[in-house]
Amino acid sequence: MSAWSGNDTKKYLPVLLAEHGNLCVLCGEPCAPDELSVEHLIPRSTAPELSHDLDNLRISHKSCNFSRGNRSIETFRSHYSNNLSWWNNIQ
Ligand SMILES: [Zn+2]
């Protein structure tokens, strides 16, 4: 089963918070409770078999998660840190 649902988010968020804290894996800033989402380090589209693997799950802001899309984390971070105008354009 590779589908991801809101119930999965509810299930995994407390586990990830306990293990990794509330820092966004994408931008490094803390997430407020209403900004929390579960980020797949390797996107589900690339590795559906890892979509429920705790080693592949981290905390991120909903907005960061959405903006990243299917880019690699490295690509997202380099754009985020090197080109804030690019970042603002895709908000
Ligand atoms: Zn973030």
Side-chain angles (χ1 to χ4, degrees), residues 13-80:
L13 267 180
V15 181
L16 293 168
L17 281 168
E19 191 161 339
H20 303 290
N22 72 337
L23 294 185
C24 171
V25 71
L26 293 172
C27 74
E29 299 291 325
C31 299
D34 63 349
E35 296 172 327
L36 290 166
S37 74
V38 174
E39 179 70 21
H40 292 80
L41 296 177
I42 302 172
R44 276 175 290 145
S45 56
T46 305
E49 71 277 13
L50 296 179
S51 62
H52 293 74
D53 186 331
L54 269 178
D55 288 339
N56 191 41
L57 303 177
R58 291 294 186 277
I59 296 291
S60 77
H61 293 106
K62 285 176 188 166
S63 56
C64 289
N65 193 336
F66 181 77
S67 300
R68 176 194 171 198
N70 288 326
R71 293 178 195 87
S72 75
I73 290 220
E74 290 73 21
T75 302
F76 180 89
R77 281 183 179 150
S78 65
H79 280 288
Y80 180 71

